[in-house]
Each structure stands twice: as structure tokens, then as C-alpha cells.
Amino acid sequence: MFDNNVFKENTCANIEEAGKIIGYELQTNITYYRGIPLSMVDYIKINEDGKEVPVENIIISIDREDWFTLHEAETVTTYKWEYGEPLYIRVLKQGGLSKGTHKIKLTVAVRTAYIPVPLEGIKEREVVIN
Amino acid sequence: MAGKIKTCVSLYSLQDEYLNKRMSLGDIMHFVKDNNAEGIEILPDQMLKGSPDISDDVLAEWNRLIAETGLTPVITDVFLNTNLYKNRKLTKKECIDLLIKEIKLANKLGVHLIRLVSMIPYWVLKPLLPYCEKYDVAIALEVHAGMAFDNPETQKFIDEMKSLNSKYVGLVIDTGIFCKKFPRVVANYETAMGTSPEIFNYVASLFEKGTDLHRVLIENNFAFPPELEKAIKTERDRMFAHLCDGYENYPYEVLDEYMPYIKHFHFKLFEMTEEGPEYSIDYKGLLKYLHEHNYDGYVSTEYEGNRFRLPGKPMIEKEQVAKHLAYVKQCLEEIQK
């Protein structure tokens, strides 16, 4: 139902810090119709060219300043992921994505107020790294 | 003597325009005004950043837009994040504290009514009542299809509401409980996503017989009847079949008993058809009933067809809202001469 919100187009790119590529980043809108505190992100999965990225290599942020692992995010209640604003997701991986075309599949699930199961959205995109 | 029924738009109706930044909150409010609605309904968590702890800037912008458009801020739609944490549910005190914040926010926004989402527990009412009185904000539980009058949680809320008997506690009715036909936009979308059409043929046949899946499931001890089992071919079918109970086919008379407590209506909009009326719900009939029962609150257009846009098709939130508002206005002019 909210698949269209997942994985904003043209947002996936390698991230360079201090001259080194530390991984890659992508953005997603929320799989819900309202904003929620970060603690209500139930899970995020990234599949890179058919392989699941280990959860501990994924960090998230709403402002690109303060980053949380998914485990840390479980207690983050004062940072709100607003409706209409992206969540920034990074995969920490030395060298990032190699040059060429990749298939990146993002799964985002959030807990909601009255629906017993988390609302999940999935989107796979072809990402070209030049 | 009762006053007149008034029009309203829930900004939920234009959520895709907002999400994709084609329209700002200001654009949306002006759009609603330009289409001659009298009031607006807002989900603070959707379009007011930082809710319920909004900044002075967000509040100033809201006040500016209300002054500029002249729209009446009728109601805020409030949720309760009981599952804020992964490892536990919120305590009663935590729940009540969150809702007190929402009452204070409504008061700041100039709103005197809160819609509490379905399944909010009845025990919040007594502790919240002093805050409702102090801030002049009523709280009303949403009665939504699939979780309506037969639901035990809704029933407990209604019992508590009746025993408190305060003008600050009531109900919001979502008209998805008055579907005369199963929404075809839902069936078309789900079929396109891979659900077997036989499921919808069966569910649609129940509406033709004057009933619905929710009622049939209750009558069948919550087991799927054989005709539905026969239509189910995949796991996806089974999962979606459960969701088909979120559209009900009550007679309007179910409201007779509750009219004194009803504060607001969500006029659920699935699809305005080419010919004019809404595909599933007979709004003229419902408005006649409400007028005859002296309802004089707001009826709020809540477009939900946006969830069921077929891939590759344009989003038509604005067109649908404008058409529905025009239709409701035309009905009201006829009925409230």
C-alpha cells in the first residue's frame, strides 16, 4: 500500500568522508500517512545485488547530523521522522558500491497506532555508479 | 432548533500532493478554501512539523493561514503511539500524558474537537476530562468500519462515554460503515497487485445482498465461509480477504441511539464517478437522514482513493475532493432549503 513511498528515485550514491568512500546512502519516505518518532521504525532491510546487508552495517538519520544504528534507534523518541521528509539510510561499507549497475532493494517497516502488524513497503531500483 | 450541516475537508485527502511536495500546507488550505469548504480537519502528525510539540514558527504559520483563508479549524486527528517502544507497551500514565499534549496542541491551534483513532482505550476518558474542560476541547472516538459498534473496545468506550455524559466526550463516525457497494477502486488496485478477482466478486455479491464480509464473518464464528475459501487461491488472497472486512453495510438507523453523542463525520470518499455520486456511499440519503435527525456539525470529505491509484495513473486527489465537495454542497442546498 505504501510501496510508492519507499526509496526515493535518484537518491542512492556513494558517500565520501576524509577522502575515503565509507559506504553508500539512500533516502526513503515513510510507509505511513503521518510522522512518527524514530523508535517506531520496526525494521529496515537492504538487499544489494541479491545479498542481504548485515543489519549492523545500516545506520539511519533524519538530519544527516545524528546517526543511529537500527538497534540504537529503538529508544530514539525525540527525533521525529516527519511525513514528507526523507529518512537517510547509510550502508557502511569501505569503497561503497563499485562502478556499474547495481540492484538495490529497500524494505521499510514502521509500527502504527492501531494496526497490529507493522506497515511494510518494498522497492527495488537499479542504481548506476559512475 | 438545529443549525445547518457544514462542509469540511480532511487534509488527509491531499496527502500525496503534500508528501511529494507538489503542494504545501498553505497551498492545500487555499485549495480547500477556493472549493468553498467551511472547515478543515488536520492530522497534526502529518502536516504540522514537530507535533505535538510544535515550534512557535509552525504555530505562527498556522495562525497566518487560518486568518488568510478564513477556514474554521474544526478538528485534529489524534493517534496514540502505544507501541512507541519495541520492547513494551506504554503504561496508562504515559498514554494519558501523550493525549494531554494533544489536547493542549488542539487548544493552541484554535480547535475544539479531537478525533481519537479507533481502539484508543476507554480508560483514558476519566483522567482526560479535566483537561478537556480546562482547554475547551472535546474528545471523540472514531467509529470506523471493521472496528465499529460491534467491536468490544468501541463498546467499552461507548459505555464509558454514556456514563460520563459530558459534552466533552463523543464519537466521530466514518461513513465507510455505510458502503452500499464494495469500492471498485480497491478491487481494481488489489487485482492489479495480484489478488484473485474471485475474492472481490464474492465480497461484492455480499453487498448486493445487503450484507458485508464483516457481518458474515461474525455470523460464521469468524471462519471464512465456503464460497470465500473457494475463491482463495494464494497466501496473498488469504491476507487480503481479511482486510475486506474494513468496509461495512450498516443501515443509517444504527446511528439513532448515538446521535446525541456524534460530534463529527468523516465522509469517506473512495471514488466520485463520472455521473456524480460516490461509487459506494449514498451521500444524499445519508445527509437526508442527518438533517432529519437535527445534525448540525461538520461533514468532512476524507479521500482515500489515493491509496488505490493504479501504477502509471495520475494522482487525482484535487479533482476527487473538488467533485465530492461540490456534490455534498448540492445535496445540502437541496435538503436544507
Side-chain angles (χ1 to χ4, degrees):
Chain A
M1 200 180 286
F2 292 102
D3 289 342
N4 287 331
N5 294 8
V6 179
F7 199 163
K8 294 180 77 174
E9 216 173 349
N10 302 321
T11 59
C12 187
N14 281 330
I15 299 295
E16 200 178 301
E17 264 180 20
K20 275 189 185 162
I21 292 177
I22 59 157
Y24 61 93
E25 183 184 289
L26 53 145
Q27 298 174 24
T28 183
N29 277 324
I30 201 161
T31 50
Y32 199 11
Y33 54 77
R34 67 183 182 106
I36 49 165
L38 265 190
S39 62
M40 289 173 75
V41 172
D42 205 59
Y43 55 87
I44 285 175
K45 293 179 197 165
I46 295 175
N47 188 291
E48 182 187 318
D49 296 319
K51 275 192 191 161
E52 281 299 312
V53 169
V55 171
E56 57 273 21
N57 295 354
I58 299 173
I59 54 173
I60 58 175
S61 173
I62 52 161
D63 54 15
R64 277 178 167 151
E65 285 176 25
D66 298 323
W67 292 87
F68 304 99
T69 65
L70 294 175
H71 183 63
E72 285 168 344
E74 289 175 10
T75 59
V76 178
T77 55
T78 57
Y79 290 69
K80 198 171 176 194
W81 181 8
E82 297 286 357
Y83 183 79
E85 296 304 322
L87 180 72
Y88 300 96
I89 303 173
R90 281 186 180 176
V91 172
L92 300 176
K93 180 188 180 187
Q94 269 191 9
L97 292 169
S98 60
K99 279 188 182 168
T101 304
H102 296 273
K103 278 197 167 166
I104 305 292
K105 186 163 86 174
L106 174 65
T107 305
V108 177
V110 300
R111 292 194 299 282
T112 68
Y114 56 100
I115 304 166
V117 291
L119 285 180
E120 187 188 71
I122 302 173
K123 175 87 94 196
E124 185 174 73
R125 292 194 185 277
E126 277 207 349
V127 173
V128 180
I129 303 289
N130 293 314
Chain B
M1 195 189 132
K4 287 194 168 185
I5 297 171
K6 298 172 276 283
T7 55
C8 182
V9 172
S10 170
L11 304 193
Y12 176 96
S13 307
L14 296 142
Q15 58 179 272
D16 192 80
E17 295 293 330
Y18 182 87
L19 178 78
N20 292 296
K21 301 193 189 296
R22 291 187 299 270
M23 290 173 95
S24 65
L25 176 60
D27 295 336
I28 291 174
M29 284 171 67
H30 279 281
F31 171 80
V32 169
K33 179 65 188 174
D34 292 345
N35 281 281
N36 304 313
E38 296 162 89
I40 52 162
E41 171 163 2
I42 188 164
L43 287 67
D45 275 338
Q46 190 175 61
M47 296 189 189
L48 296 175
K49 296 228 180 327
S51 287
D53 306 303
I54 59 169
S55 67
D56 292 345
D57 286 350
V58 169
L59 181 60
E61 170 71 355
W62 170 259
N63 286 334
R64 188 182 68 76
L65 290 169
I66 290 292
E68 203 173 271
T69 57
L71 289 164
T72 303
V74 177
I75 178 168
T76 57
D77 286 16
V78 162
F79 298 80
L80 179 57
N81 295 333
T82 54
N83 48 11
L84 180 67
Y85 299 104
K86 205 168 193 168
N87 62 350
R88 66 174 181 91
K89 267 191 178 177
L90 293 191
T91 63
K92 285 187 180 182
K93 275 185 201 161
E94 287 172 319
C95 288
I96 290 156
D97 285 345
L98 282 181
L99 292 172
I100 290 170
K101 280 189 178 197
E102 298 286 354
I103 291 170
K104 290 179 180 172
L105 173 65
N107 172 268
K108 270 191 196 175
L109 298 172
V111 169
H112 298 282
L113 180 60
I114 281 177
R115 183 290 322 242
L116 299 173
V117 76
S118 297
M119 309 305 281
I120 282 189
Y122 74 92
W123 44 254
V124 303
L125 292 179
K126 244 181 230 163
L128 289 179
L129 202 48
Y131 294 89
C132 295
E133 287 164 357
K134 180 175 173 192
Y135 291 97
D136 194 18
V137 174
I139 47 180
L141 184 77
E142 177 164 13
V143 176
H144 192 281
M147 299 171 277
F149 300 110
D150 60 292
N151 182 289
E153 295 305 314
T154 306
Q155 213 38 4
K156 281 185 216 163
F157 188 100
I158 287 171
D159 291 345
E160 184 80 344
M161 172 186 81
K162 285 182 176 171
S163 94
L164 289 170
N165 195 25
S166 160
K167 66 171 183 169
Y168 286 108
V169 182
L171 299 173
V172 171
I173 306 297
D174 183 289
T175 56
I177 65 172
F178 297 123
C179 288
K180 302 285 167 247
K181 288 196 272 185
F182 188 82
R184 67 181 175 188
V185 287
V186 179
N188 291 344
Y189 175 81
E190 282 303 325
T191 307
M193 294 294 131
T195 307
S196 303
E198 290 82 358
I199 305 269
F200 302 105
N201 296 342
Y202 168 71
V203 175
S205 76
L206 297 180
F207 282 81
E208 278 163 27
K209 286 182 210 149
T211 183
D212 57 59
L213 186 61
H214 188 79
R215 205 183 311 168
V216 166
L217 287 178
I218 291 170
E219 289 160 1
N220 212 33
N221 282 322
F222 299 97
F224 285 165
E227 300 97 303
L228 182 55
E229 281 295 350
K230 218 174 113 190
I232 293 174
K233 298 189 174 62
T234 64
E235 269 314 296
R236 189 190 171 88
D237 286 354
R238 186 165 297 279
M239 192 184 77
F240 194 78
H242 280 286
L243 298 178
C244 290
D245 91 332
Y247 308 86
E248 295 191 58
N249 191 357
Y250 273 104
Y252 306 135
E253 288 68 32
V254 72
L255 299 184
D256 287 356
E257 175 187 352
Y258 304 109
M259 282 311 290
Y261 304 99
I262 297 175
K263 304 276 182 197
H264 188 74
F265 279 86
H266 285 168
F267 268 23
K268 181 59 63 65
L269 162 60
F270 298 106
E271 180 192 6
M272 287 303 288
T273 61
E274 284 299 316
E275 313 80 61
E278 211 278 333
Y279 182 80
S280 299
I281 300 162
D282 170 17
Y283 279 109
K284 192 181 275 185
L286 177 59
L287 283 165
K288 272 188 195 152
Y289 171 89
L290 295 181
H291 179 64
E292 282 160 13
H293 290 76
N294 298 318
Y295 179 72
D296 61 0
Y298 287 84
V299 294
S300 189
T301 296
E302 189 186 75
Y303 179 52
E304 196 160 278
N306 40 16
R307 283 198 197 178
F308 308 108
R309 175 176 59 138
L310 291 169
K313 295 278 181 188
M315 185 51 77
I316 49 170
E317 288 175 335
K318 286 197 279 183
E319 293 85 337
Q320 286 281 301
V321 168
K323 240 181 171 174
H324 188 251
L325 254 183
Y327 180 67
V328 169
K329 275 199 165 291
Q330 182 196 321
C331 292
L332 285 175
E333 274 164 29
E334 214 172 285
I335 295 164
Q336 303 190 132
K337 267 183 223 154

